[in-house]
Amino acid sequence: MSGLAVVTAARRYRALFGVPGVTRVTVPSLVGRLPYGMSTLVFVLAVHHGTGSYAVAGLATAVNSAATALSAPWLGRLADRGHAPTVLAATGVVNALLLTALITVLAGHAPVGVILAVMAAAGAANPPVSAVTRVVLPRLAPGHASTAYALDAVCSELTYVVGPALIAVISAVAGPYAAVALTASMSAAGAVGLAAAPAARYRVAVPDAESPVSERPRLLTVALTILLAVAGLEAAAYGLMEVAIPAYAAGQGSPAGAGAVIAAWSAGSILGGLWFAGANPTMSRWRLLFLLATLNTTGFALICLSAGLPSLGAILALGGLVIAPMTAVEMGLVTSLAPLARRTEAFTWAGTAVFVGYSAGAALAGLVAARGGGLIAAALTATALVAAATVLAATMMRRTR
């Protein structure tokens, strides 16, 4: 990382936050997205505490994620039609109430079916904070769009560093139900806070050529579908490794070390995202995505060279440098590929691709472990997934020359 890029990045972030309304959007957005990074851990801890079963906890978490993946595009579509404040406020409040209800049914030892129903409803009411933010920030600061996408990627990584740490502390001090209550309050506060921001009151003005009366403009084009597949494959690789790494750490006699190793991965990503805002790439977005995906494939392959937790942490920190920049480039591509009238919906589809990919990767990790595979087998499988994403990016790079 050159010193010039760092100085340029700092200048660009300062200019971005100097635009009226950016801070007003960024702060509640970060608060509202922290539950994204908190949810898996808090649901596993709380449901296990209430039922005594990790199997039920895992199933409940999966049901919640599946419901979010299914409902998000519909919520995004409503937001695109000028209802973003209503969607955010309503889902924020309903999601918080349902998480509060989850505490009640767990404490009352309700049947598993009731627990799963509440978890599904809470997932379906997950506020589309991330998707709305990704539409609003570039609209507020069109001259700083690339910096806004880099900031968004950094904020996403922060949620997965700060969120689990908050849950761990609150659960240790006050118990897992208190951690669920914290998650509920942050979900409501972030969504309602973002809904109250003037910039969230947008309705896309669509050119006549793009808005036929009888049908909406097509969203899932070949290019956008391939981009979603790239995001899903990358997410599958991360999901696989985030299950394999704790198993590896336990085998090394240091199960607590898994958290530090995964945090090093996120720290690398945050540094990469902060630096990326100061970069001045002259290549096309598809070519840049291909380059970053190639570097990411190399980073996953290098995991096979680790010889203990310290070296694994160092390799992940280095490999993590490309994660946030890749996310920023993907968000820029979503913006350029999606019709104006369906841009928020497009970002929710991107989130759905990540949800599905991550869940599939976590399930794949179980299959790898069942076959007796360790860290190297998991790393090779993850490398193959990222390599497939790289091939797809290369295909689009050649098509758009």
Short mmCIF file of all heavy atoms in Angstrom, two decimals, residues 274-308:
data_model
loop_
_atom_site.label_atom_id
_atom_site.label_comp_id
_atom_site.label_asym_id
_atom_site.label_seq_id
_atom_site.Cartn_x
_atom_site.Cartn_y
_atom_site.Cartn_z
N LEU A 274 -10.24 0.55 3.33
CA LEU A 274 -9.82 1.92 3.60
C LEU A 274 -8.82 2.40 2.55
O LEU A 274 -8.87 3.54 2.08
CB LEU A 274 -9.21 2.01 5.00
CG LEU A 274 -10.18 1.83 6.17
CD1 LEU A 274 -9.43 1.73 7.48
CD2 LEU A 274 -11.21 2.96 6.21
N TRP A 275 -7.91 1.51 2.16
CA TRP A 275 -6.91 1.87 1.15
C TRP A 275 -7.53 2.02 -0.23
O TRP A 275 -7.15 2.90 -1.01
CB TRP A 275 -5.82 0.78 1.11
CG TRP A 275 -4.92 0.91 -0.08
CD1 TRP A 275 -3.83 1.72 -0.22
CD2 TRP A 275 -5.04 0.20 -1.31
NE1 TRP A 275 -3.28 1.57 -1.46
CE2 TRP A 275 -4.00 0.64 -2.16
CE3 TRP A 275 -5.94 -0.76 -1.79
CZ2 TRP A 275 -3.83 0.15 -3.45
CZ3 TRP A 275 -5.77 -1.25 -3.08
CH2 TRP A 275 -4.73 -0.80 -3.89
N PHE A 276 -8.49 1.17 -0.55
CA PHE A 276 -9.04 1.12 -1.90
C PHE A 276 -9.66 2.46 -2.32
O PHE A 276 -9.68 2.80 -3.50
CB PHE A 276 -10.08 0.01 -2.01
CG PHE A 276 -10.59 -0.23 -3.40
CD1 PHE A 276 -9.76 -0.77 -4.37
CD2 PHE A 276 -11.91 0.08 -3.73
CE1 PHE A 276 -10.23 -0.99 -5.65
CE2 PHE A 276 -12.39 -0.14 -5.01
CZ PHE A 276 -11.54 -0.67 -5.98
N ALA A 277 -10.16 3.20 -1.34
CA ALA A 277 -10.76 4.50 -1.67
C ALA A 277 -9.72 5.45 -2.26
O ALA A 277 -10.09 6.40 -2.96
CB ALA A 277 -11.38 5.12 -0.42
N GLY A 278 -8.44 5.21 -1.99
CA GLY A 278 -7.40 6.07 -2.53
C GLY A 278 -6.78 5.57 -3.81
O GLY A 278 -5.92 6.23 -4.40
N ALA A 279 -7.22 4.39 -4.26
CA ALA A 279 -6.69 3.83 -5.50
C ALA A 279 -7.34 4.50 -6.70
O ALA A 279 -8.46 5.03 -6.61
CB ALA A 279 -6.94 2.32 -5.54
N ASN A 280 -6.66 4.47 -7.82
CA ASN A 280 -7.18 5.08 -9.04
C ASN A 280 -7.11 4.09 -10.20
O ASN A 280 -6.37 4.28 -11.16
CB ASN A 280 -6.38 6.34 -9.39
CG ASN A 280 -6.55 7.44 -8.36
OD1 ASN A 280 -7.62 8.00 -8.20
ND2 ASN A 280 -5.46 7.74 -7.64
N PRO A 281 -7.87 2.98 -10.11
CA PRO A 281 -7.82 1.99 -11.18
C PRO A 281 -8.37 2.56 -12.49
O PRO A 281 -9.40 3.24 -12.50
CB PRO A 281 -8.70 0.85 -10.66
CG PRO A 281 -9.62 1.50 -9.68
CD PRO A 281 -8.84 2.60 -9.06
N THR A 282 -7.67 2.28 -13.58
CA THR A 282 -8.10 2.78 -14.88
C THR A 282 -8.78 1.70 -15.71
O THR A 282 -9.32 1.99 -16.77
CB THR A 282 -6.89 3.32 -15.65
OG1 THR A 282 -5.90 2.29 -15.77
CG2 THR A 282 -6.27 4.51 -14.93
N MET A 283 -8.75 0.46 -15.25
CA MET A 283 -9.36 -0.64 -15.99
C MET A 283 -10.86 -0.69 -15.76
O MET A 283 -11.39 -0.04 -14.85
CB MET A 283 -8.70 -1.96 -15.57
CG MET A 283 -8.91 -2.32 -14.11
SD MET A 283 -7.94 -3.78 -13.61
CE MET A 283 -6.30 -3.06 -13.50
N SER A 284 -11.55 -1.47 -16.58
CA SER A 284 -12.99 -1.62 -16.42
C SER A 284 -13.31 -2.34 -15.12
O SER A 284 -12.45 -3.03 -14.53
CB SER A 284 -13.56 -2.42 -17.60
OG SER A 284 -13.16 -3.78 -17.51
N ARG A 285 -14.54 -2.20 -14.65
CA ARG A 285 -14.92 -2.85 -13.39
C ARG A 285 -14.84 -4.37 -13.50
O ARG A 285 -14.44 -5.04 -12.55
CB ARG A 285 -16.34 -2.43 -12.99
CG ARG A 285 -16.40 -1.05 -12.36
CD ARG A 285 -17.75 -0.82 -11.71
NE ARG A 285 -17.81 0.44 -11.00
CZ ARG A 285 -18.67 1.41 -11.26
NH1 ARG A 285 -19.55 1.25 -12.24
NH2 ARG A 285 -18.67 2.52 -10.56
N TRP A 286 -15.24 -4.94 -14.64
CA TRP A 286 -15.17 -6.40 -14.79
C TRP A 286 -13.71 -6.87 -14.77
O TRP A 286 -13.40 -7.90 -14.18
CB TRP A 286 -15.85 -6.86 -16.07
CG TRP A 286 -17.34 -6.96 -15.98
CD1 TRP A 286 -18.26 -6.18 -16.62
CD2 TRP A 286 -18.10 -7.88 -15.17
NE1 TRP A 286 -19.54 -6.56 -16.26
CE2 TRP A 286 -19.47 -7.60 -15.38
CE3 TRP A 286 -17.75 -8.91 -14.30
CZ2 TRP A 286 -20.49 -8.32 -14.76
CZ3 TRP A 286 -18.77 -9.62 -13.67
CH2 TRP A 286 -20.11 -9.33 -13.90
N ARG A 287 -12.82 -6.12 -15.41
CA ARG A 287 -11.40 -6.50 -15.38
C ARG A 287 -10.84 -6.39 -13.97
O ARG A 287 -10.06 -7.23 -13.52
CB ARG A 287 -10.60 -5.62 -16.35
CG ARG A 287 -9.11 -5.99 -16.45
CD ARG A 287 -8.42 -5.17 -17.51
NE ARG A 287 -8.87 -5.56 -18.84
CZ ARG A 287 -8.37 -6.59 -19.51
NH1 ARG A 287 -7.42 -7.33 -18.98
NH2 ARG A 287 -8.82 -6.88 -20.71
N LEU A 288 -11.24 -5.33 -13.27
CA LEU A 288 -10.78 -5.15 -11.88
C LEU A 288 -11.33 -6.26 -11.00
O LEU A 288 -10.61 -6.79 -10.14
CB LEU A 288 -11.24 -3.78 -11.37
CG LEU A 288 -10.79 -3.38 -9.96
CD1 LEU A 288 -9.28 -3.44 -9.83
CD2 LEU A 288 -11.30 -1.97 -9.63
N LEU A 289 -12.59 -6.64 -11.21
CA LEU A 289 -13.16 -7.74 -10.42
C LEU A 289 -12.41 -9.03 -10.70
O LEU A 289 -12.13 -9.81 -9.78
CB LEU A 289 -14.64 -7.91 -10.77
CG LEU A 289 -15.38 -9.00 -9.97
CD1 LEU A 289 -15.43 -8.65 -8.49
CD2 LEU A 289 -16.80 -9.19 -10.50
N PHE A 290 -12.07 -9.27 -11.96
CA PHE A 290 -11.29 -10.47 -12.32
C PHE A 290 -9.93 -10.46 -11.62
O PHE A 290 -9.50 -11.48 -11.07
CB PHE A 290 -11.10 -10.53 -13.83
CG PHE A 290 -10.07 -11.54 -14.27
CD1 PHE A 290 -10.31 -12.91 -14.19
CD2 PHE A 290 -8.83 -11.12 -14.75
CE1 PHE A 290 -9.35 -13.83 -14.57
CE2 PHE A 290 -7.86 -12.03 -15.13
CZ PHE A 290 -8.12 -13.39 -15.04
N LEU A 291 -9.26 -9.32 -11.62
CA LEU A 291 -7.95 -9.23 -10.96
C LEU A 291 -8.06 -9.50 -9.47
O LEU A 291 -7.28 -10.29 -8.90
CB LEU A 291 -7.36 -7.84 -11.20
CG LEU A 291 -6.06 -7.52 -10.45
CD1 LEU A 291 -4.95 -8.48 -10.87
CD2 LEU A 291 -5.63 -6.07 -10.69
N LEU A 292 -9.04 -8.88 -8.82
CA LEU A 292 -9.22 -9.08 -7.38
C LEU A 292 -9.62 -10.52 -7.06
O LEU A 292 -9.16 -11.10 -6.07
CB LEU A 292 -10.27 -8.11 -6.84
CG LEU A 292 -9.86 -6.64 -6.84
CD1 LEU A 292 -11.07 -5.75 -6.54
CD2 LEU A 292 -8.75 -6.38 -5.82
N ALA A 293 -10.47 -11.12 -7.92
CA ALA A 293 -10.87 -12.51 -7.70
C ALA A 293 -9.68 -13.45 -7.86
O ALA A 293 -9.56 -14.45 -7.14
CB ALA A 293 -11.98 -12.89 -8.69
N THR A 294 -8.78 -13.13 -8.79
CA THR A 294 -7.57 -13.94 -8.97
C THR A 294 -6.70 -13.88 -7.72
O THR A 294 -6.18 -14.89 -7.23
CB THR A 294 -6.78 -13.45 -10.19
OG1 THR A 294 -7.60 -13.56 -11.36
CG2 THR A 294 -5.51 -14.29 -10.38
N LEU A 295 -6.55 -12.67 -7.17
CA LEU A 295 -5.77 -12.51 -5.93
C LEU A 295 -6.45 -13.23 -4.78
O LEU A 295 -5.78 -13.83 -3.92
CB LEU A 295 -5.61 -11.02 -5.61
CG LEU A 295 -4.73 -10.21 -6.57
CD1 LEU A 295 -4.80 -8.73 -6.23
CD2 LEU A 295 -3.29 -10.70 -6.52
N ASN A 296 -7.78 -13.20 -4.75
CA ASN A 296 -8.51 -13.88 -3.69
C ASN A 296 -8.32 -15.39 -3.78
O ASN A 296 -8.17 -16.09 -2.77
CB ASN A 296 -9.99 -13.53 -3.78
CG ASN A 296 -10.71 -13.68 -2.45
OD1 ASN A 296 -10.10 -13.67 -1.39
ND2 ASN A 296 -12.02 -13.83 -2.51
N THR A 297 -8.33 -15.90 -5.00
CA THR A 297 -8.09 -17.34 -5.20
C THR A 297 -6.71 -17.73 -4.68
O THR A 297 -6.54 -18.76 -4.01
CB THR A 297 -8.20 -17.69 -6.70
OG1 THR A 297 -9.48 -17.30 -7.18
CG2 THR A 297 -8.02 -19.19 -6.92
N THR A 298 -5.73 -16.88 -4.97
CA THR A 298 -4.37 -17.13 -4.47
C THR A 298 -4.33 -17.13 -2.95
O THR A 298 -3.69 -17.97 -2.32
CB THR A 298 -3.41 -16.06 -5.02
OG1 THR A 298 -3.46 -16.05 -6.45
CG2 THR A 298 -1.97 -16.33 -4.57
N GLY A 299 -5.07 -16.17 -2.35
CA GLY A 299 -5.11 -16.10 -0.89
C GLY A 299 -5.70 -17.35 -0.26
O GLY A 299 -5.18 -17.86 0.74
N PHE A 300 -6.77 -17.88 -0.84
CA PHE A 300 -7.36 -19.11 -0.32
C PHE A 300 -6.40 -20.29 -0.49
O PHE A 300 -6.28 -21.14 0.40
CB PHE A 300 -8.68 -19.40 -1.03
CG PHE A 300 -9.87 -18.75 -0.39
CD1 PHE A 300 -10.32 -17.52 -0.84
CD2 PHE A 300 -10.53 -19.34 0.68
CE1 PHE A 300 -11.41 -16.90 -0.25
CE2 PHE A 300 -11.62 -18.74 1.28
CZ PHE A 300 -12.06 -17.51 0.81
N ALA A 301 -5.71 -20.34 -1.63
CA ALA A 301 -4.78 -21.44 -1.85
C ALA A 301 -3.63 -21.41 -0.85
O ALA A 301 -3.14 -22.46 -0.41
CB ALA A 301 -4.24 -21.37 -3.28
N LEU A 302 -3.20 -20.20 -0.45
CA LEU A 302 -2.09 -20.08 0.49
C LEU A 302 -2.44 -20.61 1.88
O LEU A 302 -1.54 -20.90 2.68
CB LEU A 302 -1.66 -18.62 0.60
CG LEU A 302 -0.92 -18.04 -0.61
CD1 LEU A 302 -0.67 -16.55 -0.43
CD2 LEU A 302 0.40 -18.78 -0.83
N ILE A 303 -3.73 -20.75 2.17
CA ILE A 303 -4.13 -21.30 3.47
C ILE A 303 -3.54 -22.70 3.65
O ILE A 303 -3.23 -23.12 4.77
CB ILE A 303 -5.67 -21.35 3.58
CG1 ILE A 303 -6.23 -19.92 3.61
CG2 ILE A 303 -6.12 -22.11 4.82
CD1 ILE A 303 -7.75 -19.84 3.57
N CYS A 304 -3.35 -23.42 2.56
CA CYS A 304 -2.80 -24.77 2.62
C CYS A 304 -1.38 -24.78 3.18
O CYS A 304 -0.88 -25.83 3.62
CB CYS A 304 -2.80 -25.42 1.23
SG CYS A 304 -4.45 -25.65 0.54
N LEU A 305 -0.71 -23.63 3.16
CA LEU A 305 0.67 -23.55 3.65
C LEU A 305 0.76 -23.23 5.14
O LEU A 305 1.86 -23.20 5.70
CB LEU A 305 1.44 -22.47 2.87
CG LEU A 305 1.53 -22.65 1.35
CD1 LEU A 305 2.31 -21.50 0.73
CD2 LEU A 305 2.17 -23.99 1.00
N SER A 306 -0.38 -23.00 5.78
CA SER A 306 -0.35 -22.63 7.20
C SER A 306 0.15 -23.78 8.05
O SER A 306 -0.10 -24.95 7.77
CB SER A 306 -1.74 -22.19 7.67
OG SER A 306 -2.66 -23.25 7.54
N ALA A 307 0.87 -23.41 9.10
CA ALA A 307 1.42 -24.42 10.01
C ALA A 307 1.11 -24.04 11.44
O ALA A 307 1.99 -23.94 12.29
CB ALA A 307 2.93 -24.54 9.80
N GLY A 308 -0.15 -23.80 11.73
CA GLY A 308 -0.56 -23.40 13.07
C GLY A 308 -1.39 -22.12 12.99
O GLY A 308 -1.48 -21.47 11.94
#
